Amino acid sequence: VVPQFETRCTYVQATLEQFLAWSCGQPSCLSGPFSCYEYSKYWAYADYKYIARIFEDKPEIFQDIRWSDFGFPGRSGKESTLWIGSEGANTPCHLDSYGCNLVLQVQGRKRWHLFPPGDASFLYPTRIPYEESSIFSKVNVANPDLKRFPKFRNTTAHVVTLCPGQVLLVPRHWWHYVESIDPITVSINSWIELDADHEARVGEAITRMLVCAIKSAENPSDGDLWLNPTEVEATSHEINLQYLNKAVSAYFKCQKASVSEQACSSSTAAEQRTSASCKRKKREVGYEPERCGLLTHEFGFSTFKAEKLQKIPFGPHLIQVLPQSQEASSMGAIAVESDGRDLLHENEGGHFGKLHCTRKQLVMSNDCEMPAHEMDSDSSPSASQTALSTNDLLDCLVNPRVINLVTRLLLERTGV
């Protein structure tokens, strides 16, 4: 059993009307783009659609989505994305390199399986298929193969079913796999930028450079789909070097701005009052940093700076998502979902952000099998394997722990 990566998906162009007809089994879909895909055997997912692009001619719709209730005044649908899927739709377990995530469930239910950052080594991280800002797990957490991935027994899964009207806070670097459990599911999310993203973008630029250089130099074998469809094409070494230099420049620019802000900060007395207020708030709320939480939509919340999100709770109405029992964890989680599909680019402000992906409908079989060559490249080395693959090397070379170390060494060297 292997994760169903997007490299093994079938993409079709379809309208929302055609998708709904297919999901309801209407005869009209027999001649449409879904005619080759029986609903009982396949699921479809239109993920990561920017609301600002979909409704660019109706900007008033942006205001219907208000993240101000959760501490982000002015943030609306313009900074949000839309997700639509059928029952069974899911993505491989992964973490997003940048920011944290707020997810509003609009229609249908989704079951989220989340794992804390400390479980990374138990989830067998990989960058193949490569997608900028997404670190995938080799494990199918819905049906884990514990013989191939024995360390998965050590994970601590937090499982929650997100219902319409509820909002889930996914903290920075939490692994997640999400599965649609109703015939039609609709979600809206917004990625919240954090100061730590500046360093993370340097690490992502290093990863892109190494993966593209090594995989591009390799003689491509038939069906070696190492690049996720959302990446469009492998970028050249020259372009990747530009990305790296821009990411490093943005990091130091942020550092300088932070130092200037501290120099212009309020008086010591004011800082002490703020500190005392924060301490009181911690006692009142039950301060527990880096927890994923379920937020109900009825409540308003205090306003916090985005970069402080991982340190300050939203308020007394934050419901903690508790981990599964140890026994259940050893058997593996059922599902956790992915959010972003990020491409590195420079916008007008000189920073990096997300690019729009093509508006296509994702269709994937629930019972498709993995080609033999992919099975070999993704498998852990066994006694019968005598030769290491390029992907085996990359799994070590661009392991998140290695990239974090290289990033810090590079920034230290550059900052001297």
Side-chain angles (χ1 to χ4, degrees):
V1 181
V2 295
Q4 296 183 341
F5 290 120
E6 285 187 49
T7 49
R8 296 165 49 238
C9 297
T10 299
Y11 283 82
V12 299
Q13 192 80 28
T15 64
L16 182 59
E17 183 179 9
Q18 290 169 329
F19 166 72
L20 293 174
W22 173 75
S23 64
C24 296
Q26 294 180 10
S28 59
C29 67
L30 297 178
S31 59
F34 294 101
S35 58
C36 297
Y37 306 100
E38 186 178 339
Y39 181 76
S40 61
K41 295 182 179 179
Y42 293 85
W43 53 259
Y45 202 21
D47 64 347
Y48 191 45
K49 308 303 172 193
Y50 271 99
I51 293 177
R53 170 167 287 191
I54 298 174
F55 300 105
E56 57 187 353
D57 59 334
K58 299 178 180 179
E60 64 275 7
I61 291 180
F62 302 161
Q63 304 309 317
D64 291 339
I65 303 166
R66 299 188 301 272
W67 299 108
S68 57
D69 289 345
F70 306 103
F72 301 97
R75 200 177 191 93
S76 66
K78 191 174 182 180
E79 299 85 19
S80 305
T81 52
L82 180 68
W83 306 71
I84 302 174
S86 65
E87 185 176 358
N90 63 84
T91 55
C93 182
H94 75 282
L95 70 79
D96 300 314
S97 301
Y98 307 143
C100 62
N101 191 15
L102 281 173
V103 185
L104 164 65
Q105 194 63 27
V106 178
Q107 179 175 335
R109 296 169 299 158
K110 281 186 174 180
R111 184 177 294 115
W112 286 70
H113 287 238
L114 304 107
F115 303 87
D119 281 358
S121 61
F122 308 142
L123 289 164
Y124 300 83
T126 183
R127 298 310 299 260
I128 302 296
Y130 173 75
E131 178 179 280
E132 200 269 326
S133 88
S134 293
I135 302 175
F136 292 107
S137 167
K138 286 187 175 184
V139 184
N140 180 350
V141 299
N143 189 14
D145 184 344
L146 298 179
K147 290 184 178 179
R148 287 181 61 200
F149 308 111
K151 292 182 180 180
F152 183 72
R153 297 177 186 270
N154 301 322
T155 60
T156 303
H158 295 65
V159 182
V160 62
T161 298
L162 200 62
C163 300
Q166 293 182 318
V167 174
L168 180 70
L169 165 65
V170 183
R172 183 174 186 263
H173 286 181
W174 274 65
W175 296 81
H176 49 284
Y177 166 85
V178 182
E179 182 179 17
S180 297
I181 57 177
D182 282 328
I184 298 293
T185 60
V186 179
S187 306
I188 294 173
N189 86 291
S190 188
W191 286 281
I192 310 299
E193 306 82 6
L194 301 174
D195 278 350
D197 292 349
H198 293 285
E199 181 174 330
R201 290 189 183 98
V202 176
E204 283 299 302
I206 294 171
T207 301
R208 175 188 283 267
M209 174 174 282
L210 293 174
V211 172
C212 288
I214 293 176
K215 293 299 291 185
S216 298
E218 184 181 43
N219 286 327
S221 60
D222 292 336
D224 182 20
L225 304 176
W226 63 271
L227 194 67
N228 234 31
T230 51
E231 286 296 312
V232 183
E233 63 181 2
T235 43
S236 68
H237 180 76
E238 290 73 18
I239 290 177
N240 290 335
L241 188 59
Q242 290 178 26
Y243 284 152
L244 177 59
N245 278 283
K246 290 175 181 177
V248 171
S249 297
Y251 170 83
F252 284 111
K253 183 178 181 180
C254 177
Q255 291 293 101
K256 291 180 180 178
S258 178
V259 171
S260 299
E261 184 179 344
Q262 291 176 8
C264 298
S265 62
S266 56
S267 66
T268 303
E271 291 175 351
Q272 290 174 345
R273 287 195 297 272
T274 302
S275 176
S277 174
C278 289
K279 290 178 181 178
R280 286 195 298 272
K281 190 172 294 182
K282 291 175 187 178
R283 288 195 295 270
E284 293 167 1
V285 174
Y287 175 68
E288 292 191 37
E290 292 292 347
R291 295 294 180 93
C292 41
L294 181 64
L295 304 168
T296 57
H297 70 289
E298 298 99 332
F299 306 104
F301 299 88
S302 300
T303 301
F304 301 116
K305 273 191 170 183
E307 63 268 20
K308 303 298 182 184
L309 201 63
Q310 67 269 42
K311 296 181 179 180
I312 303 177
F314 279 97
H317 306 298
L318 177 63
I319 304 171
Q320 182 180 337
V321 178
L322 298 173
Q324 287 182 311
S325 66
Q326 197 62 38
E327 179 181 358
S329 295
S330 67
M331 297 178 64
I334 296 177
V336 176
E337 146 134 285
S338 113
D339 309 317
R341 304 283 186 249
D342 298 350
L343 292 173
L344 198 61
H345 76 286
E346 186 180 18
N347 62 20
E348 293 178 1
H351 298 290
F352 294 87
K354 301 184 193 312
L355 286 179
H356 311 293
C357 70
T358 308
R359 293 186 62 186
K360 293 181 178 179
Q361 192 75 29
L362 172 62
V363 180
M364 182 185 290
S365 171
N366 285 324
D367 55 1
C368 59
E369 296 181 358
M370 190 177 205
H373 69 270
E374 285 193 44
M375 184 71 77
D376 291 339
S377 64
D378 282 345
S379 297
S380 299
S382 63
S384 61
Q385 283 183 308
T386 57
L388 293 171
S389 69
T390 301
N391 292 353
D392 292 326
L393 173 62
L394 282 172
D395 281 342
C396 298
L397 191 61
V398 294
N399 181 282
R401 289 180 295 174
V402 176
I403 292 298
N404 287 341
L405 177 59
V406 173
T407 299
R408 290 172 184 172
L409 289 172
L410 182 63
L411 292 175
E412 287 176 8
R413 179 188 182 95
T414 309
V416 173

